[in-house]
Amino acid sequence: MDVMPDSLHWKDAYKLMIGSILPRPIAFVSTLDESGTANLAPFSFFTAISAEPMMICFSPMRRGTDGTKKDTLLNIEQTKEFVINIVSEEIGEQMNLCAGEFPRDADEFEESGLTKISSAAVSPPRVKESLVHLECLLHEVLHFGEHAGAGSLVIGKVVHIHVDDALFFDGKIDTGKLNPIGRLAGNQYTKPMSDTFEIVRR
């Protein structure tokens, strides 16, 4: 079949995207608003950009109900700082809880029972239960519409990395011990380390 994206309602286009672009890593993003209230939310439109400088990006979509910006984006625009907490299977349930809609002044750390610990280079706290943290300064935000279904691209420069000692060996992260999960479509997730294979680059 052939599909013209412009002919689709945005929700139908979204279903095609999340059903074909997968598995997707999860950016569990912690931020602070201007009053110091913490926010914690997951985003599965997330990837790396470059190593020198070390840059990452993630895309928060506008709310599907009214097209307003989500709290994470509002906070980053205000404070220019955020932390990406990598999601292991062990905190999957808490991460999923933080994906819900909470009032602007709610603290998702408290709602989920996850633990705040101080960051080294930025103000937003890290998730103690996460095994890898990327502390970031905002580099740029690009907006693609202001309506439901639209989104933004948040580009951050990584200024400090925390890796749990048990994961780190010979300059590398043991992904088996990290035990990450990825997002599929709907309510489905995947355990990428459960069935791996190797293809040697020639």
Side-chain angles (χ1 to χ4, degrees):
M1 63 178 291
D2 297 298
V3 180
M4 301 300 292
D6 290 346
S7 70
L8 298 175
H9 187 277
W10 74 264
K11 290 184 179 179
D12 295 321
Y14 177 74
K15 290 174 184 177
L16 290 181
M17 291 178 66
I18 65 171
S20 56
I21 303 172
L22 44 80
R24 300 185 306 281
I26 302 164
F28 202 16
V29 184
S30 50
T31 59
L32 291 175
D33 67 17
E34 288 184 318
S35 67
T37 300
N39 179 270
L40 185 59
F43 299 90
S44 67
F45 291 3
F46 163 51
T47 193
I49 299 174
S50 62
E52 178 53 47
M54 185 176 282
M55 308 290 286
I56 56 85
C57 63
F58 75 97
S59 297
M61 289 183 64
R62 296 281 182 137
R63 284 194 175 87
T65 51
D66 56 10
T68 57
K69 295 177 180 179
K70 294 181 178 178
D71 294 342
T72 296
L73 180 56
L74 291 171
N75 291 351
I76 291 173
E77 289 181 317
Q78 289 174 356
T79 68
K80 318 299 184 190
E81 297 180 334
F82 59 98
V83 180
I84 301 236
N85 305 276
I86 302 302
V87 180
S88 298
E89 183 182 355
E90 290 75 12
I91 60 171
E93 290 293 335
Q94 293 98 319
M95 175 277 300
N96 184 57
L97 193 155
C98 292
E101 290 286 344
F102 291 93
R104 175 83 172 120
D105 60 354
D107 182 331
E108 284 83 357
F109 279 89
E110 296 177 1
E111 298 288 345
S112 65
L114 291 168
T115 309
K116 295 175 189 169
I117 51 174
S118 297
S119 297
V122 299
S123 297
R126 299 177 283 141
V127 175
K128 181 179 180 180
E129 292 80 2
S130 176
L131 302 179
V132 179
H133 315 101
L134 309 176
E135 298 185 17
C136 301
L137 296 178
L138 176 63
H139 176 76
E140 186 177 7
V141 180
L142 302 175
H143 300 293
F144 301 94
E146 299 179 354
H147 52 278
S152 301
L153 181 67
V154 176
I155 301 172
K157 180 179 181 180
V158 180
V159 293
H160 200 99
I161 304 170
H162 302 265
V163 181
D164 188 281
D165 289 346
L167 304 183
F168 198 68
F169 177 75
D170 195 26
K172 301 175 184 177
I173 291 174
D174 185 328
T175 50
K177 291 181 179 178
L178 177 59
N179 194 26
I181 60 174
R183 187 76 193 272
L184 299 175
N187 295 320
Q188 292 186 315
Y189 290 81
T190 183
K191 304 175 186 179
M193 300 310 299
S194 63
D195 188 12
T196 65
F197 62 95
E198 185 175 275
I199 299 177
V200 178
R201 185 174 298 181
R202 299 184 185 281

